[in-house]
Amino acid sequence: MCALCYCSLGFAQTTPKISSAVDTTFIKIGDQLKFKVTVEVDSTDMVIFPEGQTFSPLETVEAFATDTTRKKDRITLLKTYALTQFDSGSYKLPAQRIDINGKGYFTDSLLINVATVPVDTMAQKMYDIKPLIQVEKTNPGWWKILLVILAVLALAAALLYWFVFRKKPLTNAEKEALLPPYDRALLELKKLDNSKYLIQDEYKQYYSELTDIVRSYLEEDANVSAMESTTDELIDKLELLKDAGELELDKDTINQFKNILRTADLVKFAKSKPPTNVALQDRKVVEHIVVKTHEAIPEPTLEELMAQEEYQNELARKREKKKWVIAGTTAIGLLLIAGIALIGYYGPVKVWDTISGHPSKLLLDNEWVASSYGYPPISLESPEVLVRQEVEIPAEAKANIKDLQTFLFREDKSFLTLATTSTTFTQPVEPDFEKTIDQLLRNFEAKGAKNIITKQEEFVTVSGVKGLKTYGSAKFKVPDSEELVKGKYAILSFGGKGFQQQVLLTWEDGDTYAEEIFNRVLSTVEVKTEV
């Protein structure tokens, strides 16, 4: 059976009617009570109910949707709030302002009693707080850069393999080019047999290819410069080689070759047209000359064979070196392209800071942690988990401070500090922000800070909770040094009767990544009193 306290403010029919009620005035710690506000107004009136933590020292758990009932030209609005408290005692539920057409109307204040919950320590064992667990750090920003680099290298390796190192199947022309000069000459003569030059009366083309085959063979296999020589010059060279004993050709073979060359000259330059049987016989004579020349070439000596092998090995080494030069150039080119693309997209400073491991950027790119700290709790996101600090309440402050909980994260390399402090007082009094902020600034000075500049403005969280933002700049002392570094700081202060919550941030001036961290932390700060 729950008690119901009820209060009402009544006016004429055309004026608003406001009433408020709670379903109980007695709860246990952590239990919830329902606070209901009923407003009867004209259908054209604008009504604004209270939002956020306006019920302090009681805490808002949930604000339910407004229930609307219409009767002719009047409407009745019912707004329900779930409230709780986690400390025992008697608490005053303050009067709540209801805005109707810009004019404020107030509900009555009520007294709520919160009782403790007895704990049977004999029936349930008590355990110590578990120690902190070290969690391995992650750098999500690095794996993106690494993924891009690996993708570029994989692409470079694939291209190099496909165009440089892959053994490609040889074409027929490439296979023929690899044949020895003698075999290649015989193969080309057989191809000439299958041609249609003689059938189509293309004697000039026929004799040009016939003489080119034998000239090319002599140049490659007999080392005679035959392609650019005239008929008489070529015959003279063959006779000189014969007389010197370097080419063992008989006189008849040389004369036959001389006759074929002269016939070819007449066909090409004088447009002569020998009988078909003569052309076919000349083709057989050329094959005979190739065979005789091949037989007449002396066998290479051992020194010549070794020199030729060394030459081939040198060619192979040059080809292999060329492949690696192409591979290295391609890889460097792709890396340069990837680097230029990254610099063009992110900017040179950000790319360099990523490669060099800028401490603030590592924190910004880290996997952030969302958590609540202290009681009353302060919720925010941070690059690292804030660690509880053992803070002893001064003897002179114990009469006013019931509990003090501080959590801290500090990165000395980037001079970044993030801390939260939740304070509960022994009496339900309003916090003195100015006094606390003055104490924090004196702590800065005690640690060597100079030239502290202070500004103040209102700060509102995303959920609409209002607080005080104190910010400015100073010259902070570098740890373990006498050097001073210009930095910035910000202090967010919230609170109500019996408690105070503060968030402190400091960072180096000009550190753009630290500025981004600061803005992201501020965008996630929420002061809630739910456990």
Side-chain angles (χ1 to χ4, degrees):
M1 193 72 176
C2 63
L4 180 69
C5 290
Y6 181 87
C7 58
S8 174
L9 298 174
F11 300 92
Q13 182 65 26
T14 57
T15 60
K17 290 185 179 181
I18 301 175
S19 61
S20 60
V22 292
D23 59 351
T24 181
T25 59
F26 180 86
I27 62 172
K28 293 181 179 180
I29 290 176
D31 284 350
Q32 298 179 11
L33 61 89
K34 295 292 192 299
F35 176 64
K36 299 181 180 180
V37 180
T38 304
V39 179
E40 183 181 340
V41 293
D42 291 337
S43 59
T44 59
D45 289 341
M46 178 66 71
V47 180
I48 300 177
F49 290 97
E51 296 291 343
Q53 301 291 341
T54 63
F55 300 92
S56 180
L58 294 176
E59 291 129 27
T60 306
V61 177
E62 185 178 1
F64 297 95
T66 305
D67 186 15
T68 305
T69 305
R70 182 180 293 275
K71 185 176 181 182
K72 294 184 179 180
D73 59 346
R74 302 280 287 180
I75 59 172
T76 301
L77 305 176
L78 174 62
K79 186 71 172 180
T80 303
Y81 300 89
L83 308 177
T84 189
Q85 177 54 251
F86 296 95
D87 278 336
S88 60
S90 297
Y91 296 91
K92 181 181 178 182
L93 175 61
Q96 298 298 307
R97 176 188 172 93
I98 313 297
D99 282 336
I100 303 177
N101 296 328
K103 185 178 180 180
Y105 296 87
F106 292 87
T107 64
D108 285 342
S109 59
L110 298 169
L111 187 65
I112 306 298
N113 295 302
V114 181
T116 59
V117 178
V119 179
D120 187 357
T121 59
M122 300 300 292
Q124 182 176 353
K125 293 182 179 181
M126 304 298 288
Y127 299 92
D128 291 335
I129 298 175
K130 293 184 178 179
L132 294 175
I133 298 175
Q134 294 294 331
V135 180
E136 185 178 353
K137 295 183 178 180
T138 58
N139 293 311
W142 275 104
W143 73 263
K144 295 177 183 177
I145 300 295
L146 181 61
L147 187 61
V148 171
I149 294 174
L150 290 177
V152 171
L153 292 177
L155 176 62
L159 292 175
L160 288 173
Y161 170 75
W162 185 259
F163 291 107
V164 180
F165 295 103
R166 180 175 65 97
K167 291 184 179 180
K168 309 173 187 68
L170 298 177
T171 63
N172 291 331
E174 290 173 333
K175 290 178 180 178
E176 291 176 11
L178 293 175
L179 291 173
Y182 175 71
D183 295 334
R184 188 164 65 252
L186 295 180
L187 180 63
E188 289 175 352
L189 288 172
K190 288 182 180 179
K191 285 185 177 180
L192 187 62
D193 286 341
N194 298 325
S195 68
K196 297 181 180 181
Y197 294 139
L198 298 179
I199 299 173
Q200 297 172 353
D201 286 341
E202 295 177 355
Y203 284 86
K204 180 179 179 179
Q205 187 67 25
Y206 179 83
Y207 272 95
S208 293
E209 287 196 18
L210 181 63
T211 55
D212 284 345
I213 291 170
V214 67
R215 283 173 179 269
S216 177
Y217 168 72
L218 290 174
E219 191 156 300
E220 289 186 69
D221 217 9
N223 296 321
V224 178
S225 54
M227 296 299 293
E228 303 298 329
S229 299
T230 64
T231 297
D232 292 337
E233 289 173 346
L234 180 54
I235 296 301
D236 290 342
K237 290 177 183 178
L238 292 176
E239 289 178 344
L240 287 174
L241 290 173
K242 176 181 178 300
D243 295 339
E246 296 181 9
L247 190 63
E248 299 176 359
L249 284 175
D250 55 59
K251 189 67 176 178
D252 290 339
T253 302
I254 296 176
N255 288 333
Q256 288 177 340
F257 185 36
K258 183 179 179 179
N259 291 332
I260 292 174
L261 290 176
R262 286 179 175 173
T263 302
D265 289 341
L266 290 173
V267 172
K268 289 188 287 185
F269 302 114
K271 298 184 179 180
S272 174
K273 184 180 178 182
T276 303
N277 62 335
V278 173
L280 293 174
Q281 182 62 31
D282 287 345
R283 181 254 175 251
K284 293 180 180 179
V285 172
V286 166
E287 182 175 352
H288 175 72
I289 292 170
V290 170
V291 174
K292 285 293 184 179
T293 305
H294 178 67
E295 294 173 353
I297 296 174
E299 291 293 328
T301 63
L302 180 61
E303 290 77 9
E304 290 175 336
L305 290 173
M306 292 179 65
Q308 186 176 7
E309 183 180 1
E310 181 63 28
Y311 175 72
Q312 294 296 331
N313 292 336
E314 183 63 24
L315 287 179
R317 283 193 294 269
K318 287 183 178 180
R319 286 194 295 268
E320 191 69 20
K321 183 179 179 181
K322 184 179 179 181
K323 285 184 178 182
W324 283 109
V325 169
I326 295 173
T329 304
T330 306
I332 292 172
L334 289 173
L335 287 175
L336 285 175
I337 293 172
I340 292 170
L342 289 173
I343 290 173
Y345 186 78
Y346 293 105
V349 176
K350 185 167 288 188
V351 172
W352 172 250
D353 289 340
T354 301
I355 295 173
S356 60
H358 191 287
S360 297
K361 190 174 189 308
L362 290 177
L363 289 173
L364 180 63
D365 294 339
N366 201 2
E367 186 175 350
W368 281 46
V369 179
S371 187
S372 297
Y373 301 96
Y375 177 81
I378 301 172
S379 299
L380 53 80
E381 291 183 8
S382 59
E384 298 282 354
V385 176
L386 277 59
V387 180
R388 180 188 293 272
Q389 306 296 303
E390 296 296 333
V391 179
E392 186 176 352
I393 302 174
E396 62 274 14
K398 288 185 176 179
N400 299 321
I401 297 177
K402 180 179 179 181
D403 190 21
L404 180 64
Q405 299 179 23
T406 299
F407 295 81
L408 173 70
F409 165 72
R410 179 184 289 116
E411 172 56 68
D412 291 335
K413 291 182 180 179
S414 58
F415 306 104
L416 181 69
T417 302
L418 174 57
T420 66
T421 301
S422 299
T423 308
T424 54
F425 305 129
T426 56
Q427 300 296 327
V429 296
E430 294 289 344
D432 187 348
F433 291 153
E434 296 295 336
K435 182 178 179 181
T436 308
I437 292 169
D438 184 61
Q439 181 62 45
L440 287 173
L441 297 180
R442 284 202 300 270
N443 289 341
F444 285 167
E445 292 177 344
K447 293 180 180 179
K450 306 289 185 183
N451 304 332
I452 300 175
I453 299 175
T454 300
K455 299 178 183 179
Q456 285 188 345
E457 63 182 31
E458 185 182 62
F459 180 83
V460 182
T461 67
V462 176
S463 64
V465 181
K466 295 181 180 180
L468 178 66
K469 177 183 175 183
T470 305
Y471 63 100
S473 61
K475 287 189 175 180
F476 295 100
K477 184 180 178 182
V478 178
D480 302 325
S481 173
E482 296 300 323
E483 181 185 356
L484 293 177
V485 175
K486 188 175 181 181
K488 292 184 178 181
Y489 71 91
I491 304 169
L492 305 181
S493 302
F494 305 92
K497 288 186 178 181
F499 70 94
Q500 176 178 270
Q501 299 153 299
Q502 285 187 313
V503 180
L504 168 67
L505 294 105
T506 65
W507 66 96
E508 185 177 2
D509 190 14
D511 188 342
T512 56
Y513 305 113
E515 292 278 357
E516 291 185 49
I517 292 173
F518 164 73
N519 292 328
R520 181 170 174 180
V521 171
L522 258 60
S523 67
T524 61
V525 169
E526 287 292 346
V527 284
K528 302 177 182 179
T529 51
E530 308 94 83
V531 174

